[in-house]
């Protein structure tokens, strides 16, 4: 209550009652005394005296729903796991709502004795007041230690800032990998009917979900954050519930995959292509080129698959290139096998033709009427299918090399280009 000290006022003449009344009317108080608690402990006692933590506050004037303003900040992205389809990110989100039951007097409000407009309390006090209950709908776990910052304003405005690590599911699109962009989100669902309590975005023009000014606080180095966004929505169901999506858009850094997977696989295909330029008789060298290249590409593919879910080669551009590299390296293996077999067949055919010439010479120039049949009888039935009427081979091992030298590189470039066009890598 206020105490007044009556000042001494100079009155000329006698102390006439009327003059005394005029003096009392014109003189003002020069000192007043505040009321209410003077420290945060007293403020807390006053706020909680008649507060019911199980009942939501009354909506603001003209509203039927308690509106909780939400904003957020992306602190870091700990990891992005493609095989499990998850992203781990630390989010600091702030919720603000009015609760007139928690208003308290300060020097700027109702002449209170508490000097500060706001009171900051430990996180334990959050359980003693009503607050929005929420959960992350697409979360499969959490990491780190959560921290809570609790602030009360003298008019009853409550602000809760919580920093927590969320491991959320994410649907990845690997079509352009490793030149892909991914969009992941963490959905914070309010555990209350939206007719009673609902999330809303601040109307102050601030960035709703932002990155700290100094950048992310560490985390994965494979991804670059392109942008963040926050959207407020309502989940259908009985009853409908309000939610907030904290969305982050990322772009993969392709340097690792280019340097250690794609370029080596292309080099190995070129190495296996060299098989067709090695002398056909040098079987060990030809076999070494193609077999080493083929097995190395398989090893590169297995390493890439270990970082991805079980996908078809058409689901990821990089897998498409690796699979085509495997096929073309396998073709060189098959080419060496076929050429080597044809070389043996050609050796038998040449021996059969030599016998035919010797027979003709022995018969004083009498020609063999069915040279193909003669060669087939000497070199085998399959050899007979490969020779013409004159007994010479129509398809020999040299034809495999000549065909492959020209068609192999063109076919490989065309196959990679087709995969790239289908994936839209260079679109």
């Amino acid at each position: 209550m206020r105490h007044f000290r009556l000042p001494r006022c100079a009155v000329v003449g006698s102390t006439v009652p009327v003059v005394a009344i005029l003096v009392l009317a014109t003189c003002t108080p020069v000192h007043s005394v505040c009321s209410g608690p003077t420290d945060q402990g007293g403020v807390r006692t006053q706020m909680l005296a008649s507060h019911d933590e199980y009942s939501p506050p009354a909506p603001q004037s003209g509203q039927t729903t308690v509106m909780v303003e939400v904003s957020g900040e992306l602190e870091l992205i700990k990891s992005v796991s493609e095989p499990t389809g998850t992203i781990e990110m630390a989010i600091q989100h702030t919720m603000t709502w009015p609760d007139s039951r928690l208003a308290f007097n300060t020097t700027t409000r109702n002449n209170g004795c508490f000097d500060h407009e706001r009171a900051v309390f430990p996180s334990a006090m959050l359980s003693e007041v009503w607050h929005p209950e929420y959960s992350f709908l697409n979360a499969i776990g959490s990491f780190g230690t959560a921290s809570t910052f609790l602030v009360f304003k003298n008019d009853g405005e409550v602000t809760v800032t919580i920093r927590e690590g969320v491991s959320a599911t994410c649907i990845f699109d690997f079509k352009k990998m490793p030149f892909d962009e991914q969009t992941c989100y963490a959905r914070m669902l309010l555990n209350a009917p939206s007719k009673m309590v609902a999330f809303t975005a601040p109307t102050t023009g601030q960035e709703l979900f932002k990155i700290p000014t100094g950048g992310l606080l560490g985390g994965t180095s494979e991804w670059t954050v392109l942008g963040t966004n926050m959207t407020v929505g309502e989940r259908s169901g009985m009853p409908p519930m309000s939610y907030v999506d904290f969305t982050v858009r990322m772009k993969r850094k392709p340097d690792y995959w280019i340097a250690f997977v794609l370029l080596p696989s292309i080099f190995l295909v070129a190495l296996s292509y060299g098989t067709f330029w090695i002398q056909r008789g040098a079987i060990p060298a030809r076999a070494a080129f193609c077999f080493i290249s083929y097995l190395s590409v398989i090893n590169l593919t297995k390493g890439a698959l270990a970082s991805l879910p079980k996908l078809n080669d058409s689901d990821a551009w990089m897998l498409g290139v690796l699979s085509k590299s495997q096929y073309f390296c396998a073709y060189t293996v098959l080419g060496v096998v076929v050429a080597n077999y044809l070389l043996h067949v050609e050796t038998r055919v040449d021996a059969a033709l030599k016998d035919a010439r010797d027979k003709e010479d022995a018969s004083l120039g009498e020609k063999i009427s069915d040279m193909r049949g003669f060669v087939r009888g000497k070199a085998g039935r399959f050899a007979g299918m490969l020779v013409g009427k004159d007994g010479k081979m129509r398809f020999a091992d040299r034809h495999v090399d000549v065909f492959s030298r020209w068609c192999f590189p063109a076919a490989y470039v065309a196959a990679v280009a087709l995969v790239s066009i289908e994936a839209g890598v260079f679109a």
Side-chain angles (χ1 to χ4, degrees), residues 352-368:
L353 289 175
K354 184 177 182 300
D355 290 343
R357 286 193 295 269
D358 292 343
K359 184 177 181 180
E360 289 177 344
D361 292 341
S363 61
L364 301 178
E366 183 180 353
K367 299 292 183 180
I368 298 176

Side-chain angles (χ1 to χ4, degrees), residues 154-176:
N154 57 3
D155 61 357
E157 181 185 88
V158 184
T159 301
V160 179
T161 301
I162 302 175
R163 183 188 185 277
E164 53 189 323
V166 180
S167 178
T169 58
C170 183
I171 299 176
F172 293 97
D173 181 8
F174 299 102
K175 198 69 177 177
K176 297 183 179 181

Side-chain angles (χ1 to χ4, degrees), residues 11-306:
V11 180
V12 180
S14 60
T15 56
V16 183
V18 176
V19 176
I21 294 174
L22 291 175
V23 170
L24 291 173
T26 56
C27 294
T28 56
V30 297
H31 180 70
S32 61
V33 179
C34 64
S35 63
T38 58
D39 56 14
Q40 288 205 161
V43 170
R44 174 181 174 277
T45 301
Q46 184 186 60
M47 286 193 304
L48 299 180
S50 59
H51 183 80
D52 181 8
E53 67 270 25
Y54 298 105
S55 299
Q60 289 186 305
S61 177
Q63 296 180 343
T64 59
T65 303
V66 178
M67 305 305 295
V68 180
E69 286 190 356
V70 183
S71 61
E73 186 173 274
L74 178 65
E75 297 289 333
L76 63 87
I77 297 177
K78 181 183 177 184
S79 66
V80 178
S81 176
E82 290 96 332
T84 59
T86 58
I87 178 173
E88 290 184 313
M89 50 185 173
I91 300 175
Q92 179 175 286
H93 53 86
T94 300
M95 297 182 292
T96 303
W97 67 93
D99 191 341
S100 58
R101 300 171 299 175
L102 299 174
F104 55 92
N105 296 334
T106 64
T107 53
T108 58
R109 184 177 185 274
N110 296 335
N111 193 34
C113 296
F114 191 66
D115 293 333
H116 305 286
E117 189 180 56
R118 289 177 171 82
V120 181
F121 292 98
S123 59
M125 187 175 170
L126 187 62
S127 62
E128 299 179 289
V129 300
W130 180 91
H131 60 277
E133 295 283 351
Y134 67 90
S135 60
F136 283 96
L137 187 62
N138 62 330
I140 59 173
S142 60
F143 65 92
T145 303
S147 60
T148 303
F149 187 69
L150 185 58
V151 180
F152 295 89
K153 194 178 177 183
N154 57 3
D155 61 357
E157 181 185 88
V158 184
T159 301
V160 179
T161 301
I162 302 175
R163 183 188 185 277
E164 53 189 323
V166 180
S167 178
T169 58
C170 183
I171 299 176
F172 293 97
D173 181 8
F174 299 102
K175 198 69 177 177
K176 297 183 179 181
M177 182 187 178
F179 305 103
D180 53 328
E181 297 180 7
Q182 305 294 343
T183 300
C184 300
Y185 66 90
R187 175 163 293 183
M188 191 168 76
L189 180 68
L190 190 60
N191 298 334
S194 55
K195 289 186 177 180
M196 295 177 57
V197 186
F199 285 137
T200 184
T203 57
T204 56
Q206 69 186 68
E207 193 174 356
L208 302 181
F209 186 43
K210 61 182 181 179
I211 298 174
T213 306
L216 297 181
L217 306 176
T220 178
S221 58
E222 185 181 353
W223 298 87
T224 299
V225 177
L226 299 178
T228 54
N229 187 34
M230 190 193 87
T231 54
V232 179
E234 185 178 77
R235 182 191 182 194
S236 60
M238 291 300 293
M241 295 182 180
S242 180
Y243 68 83
V244 169
D245 282 345
F246 295 107
T247 305
V248 56
R249 189 163 58 92
M250 308 170 295
K251 182 177 179 64
R252 190 193 304 271
K253 297 178 183 178
D255 302 15
Y256 169 84
W257 301 102
I258 292 175
F260 299 106
V261 178
L262 290 173
L263 289 181
S265 70
I266 295 173
F267 172 76
L268 289 169
V269 172
L271 186 66
S272 66
Y273 169 67
T275 300
F276 303 116
W277 295 90
I278 299 177
Q279 185 180 2
R280 291 188 295 276
I283 302 301
R286 289 167 65 94
F289 263 64
C290 61
F291 276 102
I292 291 175
S293 299
Y294 179 60
L295 295 176
S296 298
V297 172
I298 290 178
N299 190 47
L300 287 174
T301 305
K302 288 177 64 177
L305 290 174

